[in-house]
Amino acid sequence: MDGICTLGNDRVYDQLIALFNSIETIMGKDTPICVYPYDENTNLIAAEIARRPNVTLFGDLDSIQRWDDFAKSAWDTHPTARQIWQKAGSNGYHRFGTHRRYCAFDAPFDRFLYMDADTLLMSSVDFIFDKLTDNDCVVYDFQYKDLSHIYTVDSPKLTEVFSQKRLETEIFCSGFYASKKDFFPAEKRHWLIEQLKSGEAEILYPMAPDQTLINYMMMRSGASIYNFSLQLPTEGKTGCCVTSPHFQAEENILYDRGKRLTYLHYIGVSSQLFKKVCAGENLDFPYRDIFLHYRYLHEPEKRPQFQGKPIPYKQPPSLKTKILKKLGLTR
């Protein structure tokens, strides 16, 4: 069985509802969806999932524990991750729970498409699943243009582990990728940990823990990774990030120079901002109306009605902030 999965808790309640509704709109009400719990804070989303026969909240505690243990073992091999996380204000493991998306390799789908909670589906993903017939991992993004959010680029070991060509063509964003059940059995997970222990851990980028790890896992395993953004002709490919200002909306679907998007990723828009907007605060962010359409698809009477000019979600820095930054007293 094929299905779509995501990761979440009550902090991303509004985004999850919007994602569910976009999948329902594009792929149909019976499309199987599985939500992996980021942590135990899931009361709100559990209630919402209970109202949707096609959606399940993953509850295999053994699988969750296996991947928790794997993530800890992987990061325990890193020479500087703890210090980097402490400087960033994280005690313990940074963003622990993001790796639980890897539970998709256990269940419930034979083939799955993982989508971050802050994404919206815009087109059928049948073509993604079709490519899984001949590939281990299928993606559609432009992360290959920025290696620095995948691996530690100043590590001399990086090009010892992976060739420059592979680093330019195989890396991907962990917010949207398709793969298959049982691709990482116990023996492969153990082997990967041993490679990290041998000194390869230093190439991992600690501030994006799930993203760097899934890239390492796929690439080090020799997985065949197919990226549509590298394979499609220029006129046939589309963007996917909310940071692209040129998308055009038509009947709540976005188009990139006339070509329909596959998905929209609200990367960089915080969960707190979504929450505030849904609570009625007139804060603006790119493609806000698209998000609100899907969020309130089944309850339009609850959609917030804003008055006046919206406040941009990224305010320009104040004069005081500019002065402090110039003096080196803030970042």
Side-chain angles (χ1 to χ4, degrees):
M1 178 174 65
D2 295 345
I4 298 176
C5 51
T6 188
L7 175 79
N9 61 9
D10 288 350
R11 287 176 61 89
V12 294
Y13 173 76
D14 294 300
Q15 296 99 301
L16 281 174
I17 293 178
L19 174 59
F20 295 161
N21 289 340
S22 72
I23 294 170
E24 175 187 315
T25 300
I26 302 299
M27 299 297 294
K29 287 185 177 181
D30 297 328
T31 304
I33 302 172
C34 181
V35 181
Y36 301 103
Y38 179 89
D39 54 24
E40 295 178 355
N41 181 26
T42 57
N43 290 338
L44 283 176
I45 65 170
E48 177 63 29
I49 289 168
R51 293 192 284 268
R52 296 174 182 260
N54 63 312
V55 186
T56 57
L57 181 62
F58 191 70
D60 186 337
L61 298 182
D62 290 337
S63 172
I64 292 171
Q65 188 62 56
R66 277 196 301 273
W67 286 109
D68 281 0
D69 292 342
F70 175 81
K72 289 177 181 178
S73 296
W75 285 109
D76 286 347
T77 68
H78 197 281
T80 58
R82 292 281 184 164
Q83 297 93 304
I84 292 170
W85 292 339
Q86 285 176 354
K87 286 181 181 179
S90 291
N91 294 319
Y93 299 93
H94 182 60
R95 293 174 60 193
F96 194 74
T98 54
H99 64 274
R100 289 183 174 179
R101 70 192 69 199
Y102 308 158
C103 290
F105 294 107
D106 292 346
F109 306 124
D110 298 309
R111 305 190 307 172
F112 66 87
L113 170 64
Y114 173 83
M115 299 181 67
D116 267 350
D118 61 343
T119 57
L120 294 176
L121 194 60
M122 294 277 129
S123 294
S124 168
V125 289
D126 288 343
F127 75 105
I128 301 284
F129 284 106
D130 287 346
K131 275 298 173 185
L132 278 178
T133 303
D134 302 312
N135 296 277
D136 302 312
C137 182
V138 179
V139 301
Y140 191 178
D141 64 66
F142 297 84
Q143 189 65 52
Y144 65 86
K145 295 182 178 182
D146 180 15
L147 184 62
S148 67
H149 284 77
I150 302 293
Y151 294 119
T152 299
V153 293
D154 58 359
S155 167
K157 192 172 283 291
L158 182 56
T159 50
E160 294 177 19
V161 179
F162 302 122
S163 69
Q164 190 62 39
K165 182 179 180 181
R166 293 188 68 192
L167 292 170
E168 291 172 355
T169 58
E170 295 184 22
I171 65 170
F172 60 94
C173 172
S174 64
F176 185 95
Y177 62 92
S179 191
K180 305 169 185 177
K181 183 180 178 181
D182 297 329
F183 191 70
F184 291 107
E187 60 270 20
K188 189 183 286 187
R189 297 196 304 271
H190 176 75
W191 181 83
L192 287 166
I193 295 296
E194 291 305 308
Q195 307 319 301
L196 291 170
K197 284 181 179 178
S198 74
E200 294 183 8
E202 71 173 57
I203 74 173
L204 299 181
Y205 174 61
M207 297 311 293
D210 70 272
Q211 181 160 274
T212 187
L213 197 50
I214 189 62
N215 272 265
Y216 177 84
M217 290 160 62
M218 284 291 184
M219 292 177 67
R220 198 65 176 89
S221 299
S224 56
I225 303 169
Y226 187 96
N227 191 339
F228 276 97
S229 68
L230 287 168
Q231 302 295 333
L232 288 171
T234 301
E235 65 274 13
K237 66 184 69 172
T238 70
C240 58
C241 287
V242 73
T243 49
S244 297
H246 63 277
F247 298 151
Q248 294 180 314
E250 186 177 326
E251 295 183 351
N252 298 298
I253 297 293
L254 289 174
Y255 293 82
D256 186 349
R257 299 180 178 89
K259 186 73 175 179
R260 185 169 175 162
L261 268 63
T262 299
Y263 69 104
L264 177 67
H265 193 175
Y266 287 90
I267 192 162
V269 182
S270 77
S271 59
Q272 284 301 305
L273 182 60
F274 284 107
K275 186 176 182 179
K276 288 178 179 179
V277 168
C278 291
E281 290 192 43
N282 194 6
L283 302 171
D284 198 18
F285 58 88
Y287 311 111
R288 183 180 73 170
D289 286 346
I290 296 287
F291 167 77
L292 290 171
H293 167 77
Y294 289 104
R295 167 61 182 87
Y296 295 100
L297 184 70
H298 296 307
E299 42 188 7
E301 72 283 357
K302 293 184 179 180
R303 179 171 172 165
Q305 301 299 312
F306 305 113
Q307 300 295 326
K309 189 176 180 180
I311 301 170
Y313 81 114
K314 287 186 177 179
Q315 291 283 351
S318 65
L319 178 61
K320 180 181 178 181
T321 300
K322 289 179 180 178
I323 293 172
L324 290 174
K325 188 171 184 178
K326 192 171 184 179
L327 294 173
L329 300 177
T330 187
R331 295 178 67 182

